[in-house]
Amino acid sequence: MKRIKKIEEWHDLLEGSDTQPFLLFKSSMTSISSLAAKKELDGLRTELPIYIVITQISKKLSATIESDLGVPHEVPQLLIVKDKRGIWQATHYQIKEQILLDAIKEYV
């Protein structure tokens, strides 16, 4: 899992999502549900790259992601980004390994 800190990094990833879909995890450092979601992601076996945005530290980046994708901001939130769009999302305690594997299989 690689942390995104800059809007430019986000835009590069978004532009490349036509050829390389990825998972984007928006997390809070103080949320128990974020910790639970991260634990699920740590066990996830996928070839898709996983990126994390820590929302308290990167508020402008988080707002840019919300605007670019047109997906309302939630924390924690996991998105599959493909073809410059958020094609699937889960929030809070919906972020479970098997649910993610099923979504990857269906949407990617």
Side-chain angles (χ1 to χ4, degrees):
M1 191 175 307
K2 182 180 179 205
R3 185 166 158 216
I4 304 171
K5 299 177 186 177
K6 298 179 181 178
I7 292 172
E8 295 78 20
E9 291 175 294
W10 160 248
H11 284 149
D12 288 345
L13 289 170
L14 186 61
E15 285 301 313
S17 69
D18 290 335
T19 56
Q20 178 58 72
F22 59 91
L23 299 174
L24 180 67
F25 179 49
K26 293 170 74 178
S27 179
S28 165
M29 296 182 299
T30 57
S31 161
I32 292 172
S33 57
S34 285
L35 293 173
K38 185 172 182 316
K39 186 175 181 180
E40 292 287 328
L41 288 174
D42 287 342
L44 184 67
R45 300 291 173 242
T46 179
E47 294 181 17
L48 293 180
I50 304 172
Y51 297 94
I52 185 172
V53 173
I54 300 173
T55 56
Q56 293 105 322
I57 297 171
S58 303
K59 291 180 182 179
K60 284 186 180 182
L61 173 58
S62 184
T64 299
I65 292 167
E66 179 181 22
S67 175
D68 288 349
L69 297 180
V71 176
H73 169 77
E74 296 204 40
V75 174
Q77 183 176 44
L78 182 71
L79 299 128
I80 298 175
V81 180
K82 181 180 177 184
D83 299 327
K84 298 181 185 76
R85 298 181 6 242
I87 60 169
W88 179 89
Q89 75 160 329
T91 62
H92 299 84
Y93 294 103
Q94 298 170 335
I95 301 173
K96 298 285 185 196
E97 183 177 4
Q98 191 56 55
I99 293 171
L100 302 176
L101 291 170
D102 292 345
I104 291 167
K105 185 176 180 181
E106 183 174 346
Y107 294 101
V108 180

